[in-house]
Amino acid sequence: MDAQSRGRAENIDPADQWVLNPNTGEYELRLGNSAPQSPVPGPRASRRGRPADPAAERGRGGAPVREAPERGAEVPQPRRRRGAEPEPPPGRRNRRPVKKKSKAKKIVAWTGGGLALVLVATGSAGYLYLKHLEGNVSATDVGSAAKQGFSKDGAFNILIIGTDKRTGAGNEGYGDKNSVGHADTNILLHVAKDRTNATALSIPRDMIVDVPDCETLQPDGSRKVIPGSSQVRFNTSLGQEGRDAGCTMRTVKAVTGITPDHFMMVDFNAVKTLTSAVGGVKVCLKHPVNDKDSHLQLPAGESKVEGEQALAFVRTRHAWGNQGDLDRIKVQQQFMGSLMRDMSSSDTLTNPSKLLDLAEAATNALTVDKGIKSVSTLKDIALEMKKVPPKNITFLTVPVIDNPAEKVHATVVVNQTTGPQIFDAINNDVSFTDVKKKKKAAKDAQAARLKGTRSAPSDVRVRIMNGGAADGAAQDVVNWMQTEKGILKSENAGNAPAEVSRTTLEYAPDQAPQARELAALMGLSGSALKPGKSVTNAQGLPTMSLTLGKDFKGAGVSLTAPAKAPDVSDKSTADKVECAS
């Protein structure tokens, strides 16, 4: 908040404008003459232990603070609009019901990896406050690594990054004091298209990966390509050599095949400010902890941590399991599940003061890509995430094994036996929890598209477009079709108008036999077939359109999506209380 805003004596704390109406039992926003609106809220006053002197009973600028009337006291009537008919006198028979004033739009709480997006909208005053919150959020231009906007209609992936960069007082004991901010804690959050489930995949910072070349924006506005690195720790995908979050996003795609759409990044301070804003987070321990390195001291059983103690809880590794990063990841997942439950509790959602504290803490903590910089977009993400039941939010960790190149094991590598199965399930929007299945009629209709007569390969006419696959994929498919499958009437149509997550085949009704033959050859599911219309090729003949999506793995590799997610023993869900060990 700038000095000019702090110096305005007429600023009103938004929380003080919410008054409990005894007639309705609900909070209402009072914007009368005694509470002038302010474009930016003034400094927060503590809600705990306000002094009882006369000055403390007055608002900013000396204005008296309006208190809720006692039960039975007369509630001041709202000022009548010019031209409106006068209200009838009160009486038992003709008294009109008390008309509620326009209230805030539903306030949403969401968190992922220690992030909270709590947004408030309250008419004109709320609009100005939202613009203030938007000014709190930092943004990084990562170019093509992130999407330009957010769509509410499909599945989405957000890479959540917690850096080890030290900012603020009290963080001297954590991380490398000279760190430029490496990718210390990393979670790829996938939210299903139908919003029935979500998966939070933790990525170990000490996992050995190949970091690809990445283009970054320089302070002078120019673009610089930072060369990639082979066989390095994942955490060096950020900060090292000047890499930005876009480099980390590209590394995730290279390792998992899953494309992050956006990123959200925080540092150490976020854990402290967010947990304090919600009044602490409940944690559970199987044994007491007294860690001399992090100074974490907690008894066995349930405790509540906030601020410095919360940061120590998620940062310490010596108190858990084998004292390694993988055990710490489990504890962090348990902590995030508890924070999610606290964020969505009625104690938080019905407390205006706590919500405003949380909004300030969350937006000040965030750095995001430019595609989701606006508060309205962040609100949309929060609303979509809010639709997912906590019992269907699954926490997983990338399956890894000890690095075989090391005699003394300090790093890990992806387990190529089990890892790809998890990546494929996420890429194909498959839930790791039992969710309500799609309506049987819809599934039957998709399956029916594969049933019926099939054309001969020589009669299949199709053009291939690249809609998110690797460069050159469209031509690779053309070559494969013509040389190995006898589909000579195939052609490369270049890039699709937009990227798509899944490969699709669009065809006219009379081309259904051709579509079934191509689906059988490529391993396309019924959901990939899109009855529609044909297009005209260069010879003026009708042809089908095959768009290769991000799920395309190579010519000749089946694209049939997994029917169910693989069994993962070491997973948890956001609705269950688990004790750290």
Side-chain angles (χ1 to χ4, degrees):
M1 188 168 302
D2 58 30
Q4 183 179 5
S5 298
R6 288 196 300 268
R8 290 179 180 173
E10 69 273 20
N11 282 351
I12 298 298
D13 188 330
D16 289 338
Q17 296 176 286
W18 288 85
V19 180
L20 181 66
N21 187 332
N23 291 333
T24 64
E26 297 181 1
Y27 285 98
E28 295 181 358
L29 185 67
R30 298 293 175 87
L31 299 176
N33 293 333
S34 63
Q37 299 181 40
S38 169
V40 180
R44 304 288 316 207
S46 172
R47 296 294 179 274
R48 302 173 183 172
R50 289 190 176 186
D53 59 84
E57 298 301 324
R58 303 183 68 83
R60 290 172 178 80
V65 177
R66 293 184 64 176
E67 297 181 354
E70 297 179 358
R71 185 174 299 276
E74 182 179 347
V75 179
Q77 296 296 319
R79 181 175 297 176
R80 180 165 54 91
R81 292 183 180 179
R82 182 176 299 174
E85 295 183 4
E87 294 283 347
R92 291 182 180 272
R93 296 182 180 179
N94 63 352
R95 178 181 297 173
R96 292 184 181 180
V98 176
K99 186 177 181 180
K100 296 181 182 178
K101 292 187 178 181
S102 163
K103 297 192 299 180
K105 293 179 182 179
K106 188 173 182 180
I107 301 170
V108 182
W110 172 76
T111 183
L115 303 182
L117 303 179
V118 184
L119 306 166
V120 184
T122 56
S124 60
Y127 170 78
L128 294 172
Y129 185 60
L130 287 178
K131 298 305 291 184
H132 159 68
L133 292 179
E134 190 167 298
N136 291 345
V137 181
S138 300
T140 299
D141 185 351
V142 295
S144 61
K147 288 186 175 180
Q148 294 303 307
F150 173 73
S151 173
K152 295 186 286 186
D153 299 327
F156 60 90
N157 302 314
I158 296 181
L159 179 61
I160 300 164
I161 306 171
T163 76
D164 59 0
K165 188 174 183 179
R166 294 182 178 183
T167 59
N171 294 326
E172 294 79 7
Y174 301 100
D176 179 3
K177 67 178 180 180
N178 298 316
S179 176
V180 293
H182 293 119
D184 191 61
T185 299
N186 309 278
I187 298 167
L188 181 62
L189 178 67
H190 170 82
V191 180
K193 180 178 180 178
D194 60 9
R195 307 299 186 250
T196 60
N197 66 93
T199 303
L201 181 68
S202 292
I203 304 172
R205 66 173 192 174
D206 294 329
M207 186 172 70
I208 297 299
V209 298
D210 292 337
V211 177
D213 296 347
C214 62
E215 185 181 74
T216 60
L217 181 67
Q218 302 300 299
D220 61 1
S222 63
R223 296 274 180 179
K224 177 183 177 181
V225 175
I226 300 177
S229 301
S230 298
Q231 296 299 288
V232 294
R233 295 177 192 245
F234 181 89
N235 67 341
T236 61
S237 63
L238 177 70
Q240 202 82 357
E241 310 298 334
R243 295 185 178 113
D244 60 17
C247 301
T248 308
M249 296 173 72
R250 290 183 170 93
T251 303
V252 169
K253 181 178 180 179
V255 173
T256 67
I258 305 169
T259 303
D261 300 312
H262 302 285
F263 83 88
M264 296 180 178
M265 184 166 62
V266 296
D267 60 20
F268 288 151
N269 276 334
V271 176
K272 297 198 292 187
T273 57
L274 291 174
T275 53
S276 294
V278 297
V281 174
K282 293 178 182 177
V283 297
C284 181
L285 281 71
K286 289 185 178 179
H287 58 78
V289 169
N290 186 358
D291 182 28
K292 64 179 181 179
D293 293 318
S294 65
H295 307 294
L296 179 66
Q297 295 183 355
L298 289 173
E302 192 174 273
S303 299
K304 181 175 280 193
V305 296
E306 68 174 282
E308 187 70 32
Q309 194 178 39
L311 178 58
F313 183 85
V314 298
R315 286 291 303 157
T316 185
R317 64 167 67 188
H318 300 297
W320 322 121
N322 296 322
Q323 303 185 12
D325 191 49
L326 296 179
D327 291 301
R328 182 173 64 171
I329 286 175
K330 296 177 187 176
V331 173
Q332 290 173 343
Q333 291 172 345
Q334 294 162 10
F335 178 85
M336 286 185 289
S338 180
L339 182 56
M340 286 183 178
R341 293 191 294 273
D342 285 345
M343 296 290 292
S344 59
S345 69
S346 59
D347 179 57
T348 298
L349 294 177
T350 59
N351 187 324
S353 174
K354 186 177 289 188
L355 284 168
L356 291 171
D357 282 340
L358 197 52
E360 291 288 345
T363 52
N364 275 305
L366 278 175
T367 298
V368 301
D369 60 270
K370 292 186 68 176
I372 56 174
K373 167 72 164 70
S374 73
V375 167
S376 62
T377 302
L378 294 175
K379 180 195 69 176
D380 287 341
I381 294 175
L383 286 168
E384 295 306 306
M385 184 61 195
K386 180 70 174 168
K387 296 176 183 178
V388 182
K391 67 178 181 179
N392 290 332
I393 301 176
T394 305
F395 293 105
L396 303 173
T397 303
V398 171
V400 293
I401 58 174
D402 289 331
N403 185 357
E406 295 176 334
K407 292 183 179 180
V408 178
H409 298 301
T411 60
V412 294
V413 296
V414 176
N415 185 330
Q416 294 299 332
T417 301
T418 56
Q421 299 177 49
I422 290 178
F423 305 152
D424 283 349
I426 294 174
N427 237 340
N428 287 285
D429 210 21
V430 179
S431 175
F432 285 84
T433 58
D434 293 328
V435 297
K436 291 182 179 179
K437 304 299 182 183
K438 294 179 180 179
K439 292 182 179 179
K440 188 175 184 298
K443 293 193 69 176
D444 289 347
Q446 292 177 358
R449 296 169 192 166
L450 299 173
K451 297 177 180 178
T453 60
R454 287 161 43 182
S455 299
S458 58
D459 292 331
V460 174
R461 184 180 290 110
V462 62
R463 64 171 192 157
I464 298 95
M465 295 180 291
N466 193 332
D471 292 342
Q475 188 58 47
D476 289 343
V477 172
V478 171
N479 295 339
W480 173 75
M481 286 183 176
Q482 294 183 351
T483 59
E484 297 187 31
K485 297 301 177 181
I487 303 178
L488 302 180
K489 300 173 183 177
S490 55
E491 62 183 68
N492 183 351
N495 291 330
E499 286 194 355
V500 293
S501 58
R502 300 191 64 186
T503 298
T504 59
L505 176 64
E506 184 176 5
Y507 56 96
D510 62 346
Q511 295 172 317
Q514 296 182 46
R516 287 192 283 267
E517 175 64 15
L518 191 59
L521 294 175
M522 295 190 65
L524 294 174
S525 64
S527 62
L529 272 58
K530 304 296 181 184
K533 60 183 181 179
S534 63
V535 296
T536 303
N537 65 8
Q539 290 75 39
L541 299 173
T543 182
M544 300 184 294
S545 295
L546 176 68
T547 304
L548 305 178
K550 296 176 184 178
D551 62 337
F552 181 75
K553 302 177 181 67
V557 180
S558 176
L559 283 166
T560 302
K564 58 179 294 186
D567 290 331
V568 180
S569 58
D570 194 14
K571 68 178 182 180
S572 60
T573 52
D575 64 317
K576 294 181 180 178
V577 177
E578 297 195 27
C579 295
S581 60

